[in-house]
Amino acid sequence: MALEPVGPAPLATEVEWTCPMHPEIVRSEPGTCPKCGMALEPRDASSEGDAVNPELVDMTRRFWLAAAFTIPLFVVSMGDLLPGEPISQMLSPRARTLLELALATPVCLWSAWPFYVRFAQSLKNRSLNMFTLIGLGVSVAYGYSLVAALAPKVFPESFRGHGGQVAVYFEAAGVIVTLILLGQVLELRARGQTGAAIKELLGLAAKTARRIREDGSDEDVPMDAVRVGDQLRVRPGEKVPVDGVVVEGVSTVDESMVTGEPLPVAKHEGDRVIGATVNGTGMLVVRAEKVGADTLLSRIVGMVAEAQRSRAPIQKLADTVSGYFVPIVIGVAAVTFVVWGFVGPEPRMAHALINAVAVLIIACPCALGLATPMSIMVAMGKGAGLGVLFKDAEAIEVMRKVDTLVVDKTGTLTAGKPMLATVEARPGVDPADLLSIAASLERASEHPLAEAIVTGALERGASISPSDSFESRTGRGVIGRVEGRAVALGNRQMLDDMGVSPGGLAQRADELRREGQTVMFVVVDGNADAILGVTDPIKDSTPDAIAALHEEGLRVVMLTGDNRKTAEVVAARLSIDEVIAEVLPDEKAAAIKRIQESGSVVAMAGDGINDAPALAQADVGIAMGTGTDIAIESAGVTLVKGDLRGIVRARKLSRATMANIRQNLFFAFAYNSLGVPIAAGVAYPVFGLLLSPMIAAGAMSFSSVSVIANSLRLRRLQI
């Protein structure tokens, strides 16, 4: 099994190499893994493109040569059992032995050479692995037969058959090498399919972009020539080259290849578009905002590649077993040799040798090592195609155990685009004047609610004045001065801190909150003069998502800094189980911890900077792909579309993946548990059954390929 390269972003030129079974092993150039002996093999499609795997080419070449010599070797060895004239009548025993030697030597020396090299490395590195068993088994079978062919007189009677001949096992050694090489070829080909998701993602990217010159004419340029700020024309049916904003035109865009959502999305001026998505029937002019490695597609490829290299906690079980397995197998093979050598039938030593070799060959732990990483690699790619990105293997393992989902309100349940809905002032105060003052102060804030107030004020024709002494008070509001007047804008807690009474505005504020609006008081020169109501519409997909989450058996908790009445209105509309409101950003992680202390396995879904600590505290953090970078970095799962229905997909994929891993581990454990005793000959006294090393080699190769084939079933999973 081969090592795979670690690539950063898709446009990176430096390639690193690592092993999927031992991702902590990283090399700057090809080689072999010092722990498992697997050859270096590039996995990062972004680094190698469609380049042919050199390990696959080499193993294929060695396999075909081995097959070309092994077939006649098998015929010569087993010729007396085949139809037609017996080989024993055509060749003398001596000539027959020498012919087998001539046919087996290219196979056991040249074709099997990589196995010997890795066998020696395993001893040098003191890390016994599958190649320790293969190298030992093949070298013993061939070496013994070589001595028996060239110097048969050195063997005592216990090695001789009824005719006094010393048996040779060239055909066993040759067939073992050929079948193991066949298994390696099939394994490398199958494993190449686990990286298909990354290759498919990379294949989505546009190859060129149509850039608009200053004179208004168009020019086709390669993608690496596109810069931030360039205006690009996207004609009907073309791929959007980079992430950007529509500056002209109306169309629909198929984003299914990135988000997993099947329906095209309408795009107008000011809307964001994603690189690699496909434009519909309209013409768009897009201003490039993220290019190269900064595009969403490039980041997805990087996240998938990184996640595929991570290790699930369940892998520790396989690692622990594998660490003891090879020494135990060598011990079993030694015991097998001794027992058969003392109490076996004649020729005792020949039976002892061949059964010990069968134990070494059939017990190769490759299938055990492949069981977990293959499933993880395929699952990560499958998730990417569904718009669900797992940061690491631990997230995909824990996701199925989650019983409580904690969600932020703004940007998670709602669209995250607040709009100014209400402007009301106390009697005798001009609402337009208060709105202008409030917008002037909020222009210095980056909070989404501030943006809604400024945008709403400009739409209503309000003028914006300079402000100074601006100060933000986390979880409460902002204060400053506008045209020499002391102005504050915030919630009821801020009024209490300032010692300001809301007066008659309090009742109206409660009414607006019951309608689901977020209410802020405008305080000018120490008087509460007005209230502003901002509404953030619930996402169209949210009701269905909450219903689907309840069907999954999840308890849904809303955790928000918003006013309790506003939060409860939203929760009632969506049938959310519990509301934790009026929580400051630095208190969210503590709230998550309290839920965990009650025995719940908690997932937290959020999209803002203030959600990052809570995302990190949760057993699984889930970031909206439409949110901030810091939230995405803190989360174990990212939903590209920002749609909570992706959590249902993530849970189903998690369950399917862990079931697949358990199947693989069971198959690998059961295979070795049954195969080793049979190879050792425990069934011989009762059933007269012995396992040929040739059959053992075929069974060993089949077990590895079967594990990979079972893992690849996840690609066809319907979610």
Side-chain angles (χ1 to χ4, degrees):
M1 183 174 176
L3 289 170
E4 306 181 345
V6 181
L11 297 183
T13 56
E14 182 180 351
V15 180
E16 293 182 333
W17 305 74
T18 187
C19 175
M21 284 175 58
H22 302 97
E24 69 275 13
I25 303 298
V26 179
R27 297 289 183 267
S28 59
E29 58 185 19
T32 57
C33 176
K35 291 189 176 181
C36 66
M38 298 182 179
L40 293 165
E41 175 187 274
R43 177 185 65 181
D44 189 350
S46 64
S47 300
E48 294 296 316
D50 296 325
V52 178
N53 183 345
E55 171 73 3
L56 177 58
V57 171
D58 182 60
M59 287 295 180
T60 302
R61 184 169 59 245
R62 293 179 187 275
F63 164 71
W64 284 117
L65 182 138
F69 281 89
T70 299
I71 292 174
L73 171 62
F74 187 80
V75 171
V76 171
S77 174
M78 303 294 180
D80 290 346
L81 303 178
L82 300 175
E85 187 176 357
I87 292 293
S88 59
Q89 295 182 13
M90 299 171 60
L91 297 172
S92 67
R94 181 64 178 166
R96 184 174 178 177
T97 299
L98 293 177
L99 179 57
E100 290 183 25
L101 169 61
L103 292 171
T105 297
V107 178
C108 295
L109 293 186
W110 186 80
S111 291
W113 184 251
F115 303 151
Y116 300 139
V117 172
R118 296 170 197 181
F119 167 47
Q121 289 175 338
S122 72
L123 299 179
K124 178 182 177 181
N125 296 323
R126 298 180 181 179
S127 179
L128 305 184
N129 53 55
M130 61 173 286
F131 292 104
T132 310
L133 302 181
I134 293 173
L136 188 59
V138 174
S139 59
V140 167
Y142 176 74
Y144 161 80
S145 300
L146 178 64
V147 176
L150 299 180
K153 294 181 180 180
V154 303
F155 291 93
E157 241 359 87
S158 59
F159 282 87
R160 300 179 183 276
H162 298 296
Q165 299 292 322
V166 179
V168 293
Y169 299 100
F170 288 119
E171 84 288 350
V175 172
I176 287 171
V177 171
T178 304
L179 289 176
I180 292 176
L181 284 170
L182 175 61
Q184 289 285 296
V185 170
L186 294 176
E187 178 185 317
L188 288 167
R189 287 182 176 178
R191 288 184 56 242
Q193 297 179 42
T194 63
I198 292 181
K199 291 183 179 180
E200 289 172 4
L201 287 170
L202 288 169
L204 296 176
K207 304 300 185 289
T208 61
R210 185 175 294 272
R211 185 165 59 190
I212 302 175
R213 297 189 181 98
E214 292 184 3
D215 61 4
S217 61
D218 297 347
E219 61 174 340
D220 287 332
V221 296
M223 292 305 302
D224 56 9
V226 178
R227 299 289 181 265
V228 174
D230 286 351
Q231 291 200 354
L232 310 173
R233 192 181 307 279
V234 187
R235 295 178 297 186
E238 290 184 337
K239 291 181 179 179
V240 177
V242 296
D243 296 2
V245 175
V246 176
V247 296
E248 182 182 325
V250 176
S251 185
T252 57
V253 176
D254 180 2
E255 298 181 342
S256 60
M257 62 288 298
V258 176
T259 65
E261 295 299 326
L263 297 178
V265 180
K267 299 294 180 182
H268 304 82
E269 184 177 339
D271 290 338
R272 296 187 178 277
V273 290
I274 304 171
T277 55
V278 180
N279 185 23
T281 58
M283 178 82 73
L284 296 176
V285 175
V286 175
R287 182 179 67 251
E289 289 200 335
K290 293 183 179 180
V291 301
D294 294 329
T295 63
L296 177 62
L297 179 64
S298 295
R299 293 174 64 191
I300 289 174
V301 171
M303 290 178 70
V304 173
E306 185 66 30
Q308 288 182 334
R309 291 190 294 270
S310 63
R311 312 190 78 186
I314 197 174
Q315 177 70 22
K316 295 177 182 177
L317 172 63
D319 290 346
T320 301
V321 173
S322 296
Y324 293 102
F325 190 75
V326 175
I328 291 174
V329 168
I330 294 175
V332 171
V335 171
T336 299
F337 183 85
V338 171
V339 172
W340 279 87
F342 279 98
V343 300
E346 295 292 346
R348 293 193 304 274
M349 298 306 294
H351 279 99
L353 178 73
I354 207 68
N355 285 318
V357 169
V359 169
L360 293 173
I361 296 302
I362 200 169
C364 288
C366 187
L368 187 60
L370 288 169
T372 298
M374 290 300 100
S375 295
I376 293 297
M377 290 176 67
V378 178
M380 296 300 181
K382 178 67 176 181
L386 296 170
V388 179
L389 306 180
F390 290 93
K391 187 176 184 179
D392 52 37
E394 183 175 1
I396 202 170
E397 181 171 342
V398 176
M399 190 69 203
R400 68 191 173 93
K401 302 176 183 177
V402 170
D403 54 34
T404 301
L405 174 66
V406 177
V407 292
D408 178 44
K409 182 174 76 71
T410 304
T412 303
L413 298 175
T414 63
K417 296 181 179 179
M419 298 179 295
L420 182 62
T422 303
V423 181
E424 295 187 12
R426 63 182 175 83
V429 177
D430 182 8
D433 181 48
L434 265 295
L435 178 59
S436 178
I437 292 173
S440 299
L441 179 62
E442 288 283 29
R443 189 171 61 170
S445 173
E446 296 180 352
H447 196 282
L449 296 180
E451 182 180 351
I453 291 171
V454 173
T455 301
L458 292 174
E459 290 174 349
R460 290 167 171 78
S463 59
I464 306 293
S465 303
S467 64
D468 54 47
S469 303
F470 177 84
E471 179 185 341
S472 175
R473 296 187 176 179
T474 304
R476 287 169 169 77
V478 295
I479 61 174
R481 300 189 69 83
V482 178
E483 296 181 341
R485 305 170 73 180
V487 181
L489 185 68
N491 55 25
R492 181 62 183 267
Q493 287 177 295
M494 187 167 183
L495 262 64
D496 293 341
D497 292 345
M498 297 174 63
V500 175
S501 171
L505 295 175
Q507 182 178 353
R508 180 56 178 155
D510 288 341
E511 293 174 357
L512 293 177
R513 291 190 190 102
R514 284 193 289 270
E515 295 175 7
Q517 294 189 34
T518 298
V519 178
M520 287 160 286
F521 294 90
V522 183
V523 180
V524 180
D525 294 330
N527 296 313
D529 286 344
I531 53 174
L532 305 181
V534 174
T535 182
D536 187 5
I538 295 172
K539 292 179 183 177
D540 293 338
S541 61
T542 298
D544 291 340
I546 298 298
L549 291 166
H550 280 143
E551 290 178 4
E552 282 282 307
L554 291 176
R555 182 170 69 102
V556 182
V557 178
M558 180 196 295
L559 179 65
T560 179
D562 208 345
N563 177 271
R564 174 167 294 279
K565 292 182 179 179
T566 303
E568 288 178 345
V569 169
V570 175
R573 291 179 185 173
L574 297 173
S575 300
I576 288 176
D577 302 297
E578 183 181 346
V579 176
I580 304 175
E582 299 177 357
V583 179
L584 296 177
D586 57 353
E587 297 173 344
K588 287 190 174 183
I592 295 288
K593 189 173 183 179
R594 285 195 296 272
I595 298 174
Q596 291 172 321
E597 290 172 347
S598 68
S600 298
V601 180
V602 180
M604 163 72 184
D607 74 329
I609 293 175
N610 61 342
D611 295 322
L615 292 173
Q617 173 64 42
D619 296 286
V620 181
I622 303 173
M624 302 293 108
T626 51
T628 61
D629 289 345
I630 189 171
I632 293 173
E633 289 297 323
S634 302
V637 181
T638 299
L639 306 180
V640 176
K641 185 66 175 177
D643 184 345
L644 288 176
R645 287 177 295 189
I647 298 176
V648 178
R649 297 192 188 103
R651 278 176 59 83
K652 290 180 178 178
L653 181 58
S654 173
R655 284 199 297 268
T657 302
M658 297 312 299
N660 192 270
I661 289 174
R662 286 194 296 270
Q663 292 163 7
N664 287 346
L665 289 174
F666 172 80
F667 182 83
F669 279 124
Y671 163 80
N672 284 301
S673 299
L674 294 174
V676 171
I678 293 175
V682 296
Y684 183 79
V686 179
F687 301 104
L689 177 64
L690 288 177
L691 188 64
S692 165
M694 295 183 288
I695 298 176
M700 187 275 288
S701 298
F702 174 76
S703 68
S704 299
V705 174
S706 298
V707 164
I708 297 174
N710 187 53
S711 300
L712 290 172
R713 290 192 307 110
L714 289 172
R715 295 175 61 189
R716 301 190 297 273
L717 183 68
Q718 298 296 319
I719 298 180

